[in-house]
Amino acid sequence: MTFHITIDGRPVPVTPGQSIGAALHAAGVRSWRSTRFGGRPRGLFCGIGVCFDCLVSVNGRTPERACLAEAAPGDEVTTA
Amino acid sequence: MTYDLVVIGGGPAGVAGALTAAQAGLRVALVDASVRLGGQYFRHSADPRPAPGLGRFLRQARALDRRADVRLRHQVWNVTREPGGGLTVHATAPDRTAVPLAARRVLIATGAYDRPLPFPGWDLPGVLTAGGAQALLKGDGVLAGRRIVVGGTGPFLLPVASGLAGAGARVLGVFEANGGLGLARHPLLALGKAGEAAGYAAALARHRVPYRTRQAVVAAHGEREVEAVTVARLDKEWNVLATRVVECDTVAVGYGFVPQIELGVQLGCRTRQDVDGSPVLAVDAGQRTSVPGVWAAGEPTGVGGWRLSEVEGRIAGLTIAAESRAAGSRAPESRALEGRTDESRTDESRTDESRDAEGRDREGRDGEVAGVLARRRERWRAFGEALQHAYPVRPGWQGWLRDDTLVCRCEEVPLARVREARDLGATDARSIKLLARPGMGWCQGRICGYAVSCLAGEPPQPPRRPIAQPVTLGALAELTDDDPTTPPLT
């Protein structure tokens, strides 16, 4: 049933159909990005693709919104 | 291939519009960014829990799937007018390739998103919008936290709080900044939605969730994430009277909704101010915008909830079908469907005179739309406007901010810099943006736009965003008709 993705090499369990952002949040990883100027921690805020706070890189691609990206088995998520 | 209709948005308005038009024989495509149809209100997991109206929506979604080209996980970033008069809806596929869809007509059903207000600490992880907490629960089956504070204004806080409590979170309180009457006198009761309001009230009581009016979350505290909030008692204008600290790990806040209208603004559609000051797309009785070939339904024409959205979507589908017929632009193969009755029609009752097979042609005309559906639309529109009246945003929230409180989360612009810009002579949101950069980051002012307008002392302006979603340069390059491999003729 559940599968795993990794965030910076650490495994995170995923229930099929979950977004990457939801899987991280559920695993207790509530921030995965630092802001450019203040270095402030950021994770999910709007949860529906509006705020862009939850940007991650998946499998080396350019940043995308974790709340919109559906997790796939083996996805390697890296944070900035 | 050219579609008779491309619908943008797969919530109640978009699905009702697309299905109505497809049932009338039009060749229809619907584009949505999500993995499933539903929009925000009907967001659901692969194995959805029952929810009011959801079963009906899912029947419509399944029927649509059989009759239209439903493209999920596609983001629309622009709609352009072609020289021949047609429209092109520019979307990007999940692999980020460009997907241009040629359309004779377009229905904008892009919904709305939570309207947040800034407060000290609102950018700490663990502070989410109310809709975000709801989306996590409904779409992903994930509880936003264990000890949750819900705050803001509007009836939406009730389903959010009761949903979270029902799923096992400890909801420490619902802090409604407006009102003063409590749940027993909640406007939902006065508006004939007693059943719904009573249901939420009972759920909150069952889980011992306190519902407090004239109170708000005015600050969040914590190092790496939220650990506590300051809850304030407010006066009528939302100035702070007294405060206390509540320990929690999660905050869900929302102060109403922002209609998503940028695609309409790109196309030059006329806007109007809604009751709460929000810019919305102006439409006529048939849901037509001021731009030929462009319709709008649901929250982009004024926030009013899913029932209003659905009826507006149906009216749009009918008038689009009627105009399409008049223009003789129906796909020939679709004529086989004509006159056929269908179990999956968008209606809930079969007795409604506007929806029998014979009535289909009649109801397509505006005169008939002005009948049953128009009356239903008026009723739900009045309901939406009453809620906007009952749950305004009061100016006192500006006093919750400190000099270092971020107004814009993307560009990390604190209140002090917004004030500086104002002191330098910036008297409107646009000048403040140019001087201090709020609204210039990734979200393009979607999150801070309302707050910046308030701080500038003007009502929120229609958003000017030439590109509604991030897009690759490759996709942009594909817009040009010139073949880059062909050498110039000169």
Side-chain angles (χ1 to χ4, degrees):
Chain A
M1 266 288 280
T2 60
F3 59 84
H4 284 78
I5 60 174
T6 60
I7 175 154
D8 297 330
R10 230 172 83 208
V12 168
V14 178
T15 304
Q18 279 179 341
S19 73
I20 287 174
L24 294 179
H25 196 92
V29 184
R30 305 223 294 178
S31 65
W32 49 79
R33 189 174 75 84
S34 297
T35 58
R36 282 179 300 164
F37 306 118
R40 297 166 198 258
R42 290 291 163 80
L44 292 178
F45 176 62
C46 82
I48 61 170
V50 175
C51 77
F52 292 80
D53 261 1
C54 65
L55 292 172
V56 288
S57 177
V58 184
N59 302 325
R61 294 194 299 263
T62 50
E64 59 194 289
R65 288 162 279 184
C67 68
L68 294 185
E70 190 175 356
D75 274 348
E76 293 178 9
V77 179
T78 46
T79 62
Chain B
M1 187 196 67
T2 300
Y3 291 101
D4 295 318
L5 171 66
V6 172
V7 178
I8 306 163
V15 167
L19 182 56
T20 304
Q23 282 170 337
L26 270 63
R27 188 192 290 260
V28 177
L30 182 145
V31 195
D32 191 89
S34 303
V35 296
R36 274 179 284 276
L37 292 173
Q40 301 312 328
Y41 188 81
F42 289 128
R43 185 184 286 271
H44 57 280
S45 68
D47 180 24
R49 288 166 228 229
L54 180 61
R56 170 183 155 86
F57 175 82
L58 293 177
R59 280 193 299 279
Q60 293 176 17
R62 278 194 296 273
L64 182 66
D65 225 17
R66 292 194 297 270
R67 293 167 175 275
D69 188 1
V70 176
R71 295 179 185 238
L72 300 170
R73 302 180 173 91
H74 279 60
Q75 294 180 16
V76 174
W77 55 273
N78 202 351
V79 182
T80 52
R81 173 79 65 184
E82 299 308 315
L87 295 155
T88 302
V89 174
H90 297 279
T92 49
D95 65 2
R96 302 188 191 192
T97 53
V99 180
L101 301 169
R104 291 193 176 86
R105 291 168 190 82
V106 164
L107 171 59
I108 296 172
T110 42
Y113 52 85
D114 287 83
R115 179 164 63 197
L117 292 178
F119 55 88
W122 73 308
D123 64 324
L124 278 170
V127 178
L128 288 96
T129 65
Q134 177 89 322
L136 268 179
L137 186 62
K138 292 203 297 195
D140 300 281
V142 171
L143 260 180
R146 280 189 282 272
R147 294 172 56 80
I148 307 180
V149 166
V150 177
T153 192
F156 181 55
L157 301 180
L158 298 174
V160 171
S162 55
L164 292 169
R170 178 98 181 84
V171 178
L172 301 165
V174 178
F175 302 106
E176 163 61 61
N178 275 303
L181 300 169
L183 269 184
R185 301 279 297 277
H186 198 284
L188 281 178
L189 296 171
L191 291 160
K193 307 243 293 179
E196 198 170 326
Y200 294 135
L204 294 184
R206 194 164 58 242
H207 297 288
R208 294 191 300 280
V209 176
Y211 179 84
R212 302 279 177 261
T213 55
R214 292 259 166 80
Q215 297 196 18
V217 174
V218 298
H221 316 283
E223 278 300 312
R224 298 287 303 171
E225 48 185 73
V226 62
E227 293 159 18
V229 291
T230 297
V231 172
R233 211 150 48 72
L234 307 174
D235 69 11
K236 254 183 140 155
E237 295 303 309
W238 294 13
N239 300 301
V240 172
L241 297 175
T243 64
R244 68 180 188 281
V245 172
V246 177
E247 283 182 24
C248 63
D249 58 37
T250 302
V251 185
V253 281
Y255 286 87
F257 296 95
V258 179
Q260 199 138 250
I261 64 169
E262 55 255 272
L263 293 173
V265 174
Q266 281 173 5
L267 283 161
C269 299
R270 201 165 62 76
T271 61
R272 64 175 183 91
Q273 254 186 30
D274 209 0
V275 172
D276 70 349
S278 296
V280 294
L281 299 178
V283 290
D284 69 6
Q287 299 296 134
R288 295 175 198 83
T289 71
S290 63
V291 172
V294 181
W295 274 251
E299 314 297 36
T301 70
V303 170
W306 71 271
R307 292 176 185 83
L308 177 62
S309 295
E310 191 200 289
V311 75
E312 287 183 354
R314 287 185 59 199
I315 291 171
L318 290 170
T319 54
I320 289 166
E323 289 202 14
S324 192
R325 248 192 312 269
S329 64
R330 260 186 314 171
E333 68 268 33
S334 64
R335 296 211 172 112
L337 294 171
E338 203 167 5
R340 186 179 135 190
T341 53
D342 190 329
E343 286 308 307
S344 59
R345 299 221 40 179
T346 46
D347 322 78
E348 56 202 336
S349 114
R350 309 291 298 173
T351 56
D352 191 324
E353 41 144 287
S354 72
R355 53 174 98 112
D356 56 69
E358 307 92 291
R360 200 180 294 185
D361 271 321
R362 289 186 295 120
E363 71 182 354
R365 291 200 297 271
D366 283 11
E368 280 300 318
V369 166
V372 175
L373 287 178
R375 283 197 296 278
R376 203 180 297 169
R377 176 176 55 190
E378 287 327 300
R379 199 168 69 232
W380 292 120
R381 165 73 55 215
F383 169 69
E385 289 180 353
L387 288 182
Q388 288 185 34
H389 275 299
Y391 297 98
V393 172
R394 297 286 182 196
W397 68 267
Q398 296 181 32
W400 309 345
L401 277 55
R402 298 186 315 237
D403 280 356
D404 64 350
T405 303
L406 293 187
V407 174
C408 167
R409 304 162 67 94
C410 301
E411 291 296 298
E412 299 171 76
V413 182
L415 176 66
R417 290 239 303 281
V418 173
R419 282 215 183 103
E420 250 171 58
R422 222 167 39 188
D423 294 345
L424 285 169
T427 52
D428 59 83
R430 190 169 164 75
S431 310
I432 287 178
K433 173 174 158 180
L434 293 174
L435 279 170
R437 300 192 56 79
M440 284 200 167
W442 270 103
C443 91
Q444 289 289 291
R446 287 179 175 86
I447 299 297
C448 71
Y450 180 79
V452 172
S453 293
C454 293
L455 291 168
E458 67 171 3
Q461 302 299 305
R464 289 193 263 182
R465 298 184 188 110
I467 291 176
Q469 294 288 328
V471 63
T472 63
L473 288 175
L476 281 176
E478 282 178 36
L479 270 186
T480 170
D481 293 331
D482 304 329
D483 181 353
T485 59
T486 314
L489 288 174
T490 46

